[in-house]
Amino acid sequence: MNVKLNLPLLPLRDIVVFPSMVIPLFVGRDKSINALNDVMTSEKKILLVTQKNSETDDPKRNDIFNYGCESRILQLLKLPDGTVKVLVEGEKRVKILNFKEEKDNFLICESEVVEDVVESSDLNQLATGLVKKFERLQVLNKKDFNDGSNNLKNSNNASQISNIISSNLNIQIFEKQELLEITDLKKRLEKIHSFIEKETSVLSVEKKIRGRVKNQMEKTQREYY
């Protein structure tokens, strides 16, 4: 039976938080700050869920996705301008079941922890292969991992690998949300593979084009001088 949770909701703009992900967030909306203040007096657990439209200032039930991430607040700092900087760590993938509003106007969500569905024995091997492909992509993209991804090379846990790579992929927000909502671990790894292949292909073409342009410019300069 899945574990049921009742946690305050913090809606996110333009970011999807995955389990194993550590990230700083800057929070300015009154409802969100109220939710943070509430959880700081207890277990420091909060539900992070992405908005469907980042421009919605006061998101309601239909304005946020049904899957999010139970997260722990590692650090909270109140800034002089009234906003709050909070360092969070994603812990568990969850599905929202119900909403209710608290007296301070922030939302409380009843949710359940969604465990990975594992129906294959070769997933660790598949995940290890993804790590190698993703590392090559990062070299091609000249991009460093974000905080929390340093464990990628040392991990042999397919679920953790999928979450770390998902949080680092250069894809659209709705595509990251799609990955968060895939509970079948093999299907999630296969989807990540398709995203990596697509981005690698695009970057390879761009690299070839830049090389041709550079060669043509050098040739033109030689002819000019």
Side-chain angles (χ1 to χ4, degrees):
M1 188 175 77
N2 287 348
V3 179
K4 295 288 195 303
L5 306 166
N6 280 285
L7 293 173
L9 169 72
L10 180 62
L12 302 177
R13 305 180 196 255
D14 294 325
I15 189 170
V16 177
V17 173
F18 291 85
S20 301
M21 182 177 176
V22 177
I23 189 169
L25 303 172
F26 290 88
V27 180
R29 290 182 282 195
D30 289 340
K31 289 184 179 181
S32 296
I33 293 174
N34 289 341
L36 288 171
N37 288 335
D38 182 79
V39 301
M40 289 302 289
T41 63
S42 55
E43 296 180 352
K44 299 183 180 180
K45 294 285 189 74
I46 196 161
L47 183 58
L48 302 178
V49 188
T50 306
Q51 296 180 199
K52 296 176 181 178
N53 183 350
S54 63
E55 296 181 1
T56 303
D57 287 326
D58 187 18
K60 305 297 183 184
R61 175 173 182 167
N62 292 333
D63 298 316
I64 62 173
F65 290 105
N66 288 326
Y67 282 77
C69 190
E70 177 198 349
S71 304
R72 178 181 297 277
I73 297 175
L74 302 178
Q75 188 179 58
L76 185 144
L77 179 64
K78 295 182 179 180
L79 303 177
D81 63 357
T83 61
V84 172
K85 180 182 180 182
V86 58
L87 185 67
V88 296
E89 180 180 15
E91 292 189 338
K92 298 175 183 176
R93 182 179 274 97
V94 300
K95 181 180 181 181
I96 297 174
L97 303 175
N98 201 3
F99 292 79
K100 65 177 181 177
E101 194 162 307
E102 284 291 286
K103 62 182 184 301
D104 291 325
N105 292 326
F106 60 85
L107 291 171
I108 296 279
C109 289
E110 179 189 2
S111 59
E112 64 180 8
V113 174
V114 180
E115 302 292 350
D116 287 337
V117 177
V118 181
E119 296 182 346
S120 178
S121 60
D122 62 344
L123 295 187
N124 286 342
Q125 183 177 353
L126 176 58
T128 302
L130 276 184
V131 171
K132 294 177 181 178
K133 285 180 177 290
F134 183 66
E135 288 174 342
R136 288 197 292 269
L137 174 61
Q138 295 299 81
V139 171
L140 191 61
N141 205 15
K142 298 179 180 178
K143 182 181 176 183
D144 295 326
F145 294 138
N146 68 21
D147 291 339
S149 62
N150 295 327
N151 295 327
L152 188 59
K153 291 182 180 179
N154 300 324
S155 178
N156 59 2
N157 182 292
S159 180
Q160 184 182 40
I161 288 172
S162 77
N163 290 324
I164 294 173
I165 294 180
S166 294
S167 67
N168 280 278
L169 283 173
N170 183 29
I171 55 179
Q172 299 293 320
I173 290 298
F174 74 89
E175 292 173 321
K176 288 197 174 187
Q177 182 66 32
E178 180 184 358
L179 289 175
L180 184 69
E181 296 186 11
I182 298 175
T183 57
D184 186 308
L185 183 53
K186 184 176 182 179
K187 290 182 178 178
R188 191 191 312 147
L189 291 169
E190 290 172 345
K191 190 68 177 179
I192 290 170
H193 179 269
S194 69
F195 281 134
I196 291 175
E197 289 292 300
K198 181 180 177 181
E199 188 176 353
T200 300
S201 177
V202 170
L203 288 173
S204 297
V205 170
E206 290 177 350
K207 185 177 180 180
K208 288 179 181 178
I209 292 173
R210 286 196 300 270
R212 289 173 184 170
V213 170
K214 181 181 178 182
N215 291 338
Q216 185 60 42
M217 288 179 65
E218 290 174 348
K219 180 181 178 182
T220 303
Q221 288 175 346
R222 287 196 298 270
E223 289 174 351
Y224 180 80
Y225 289 115

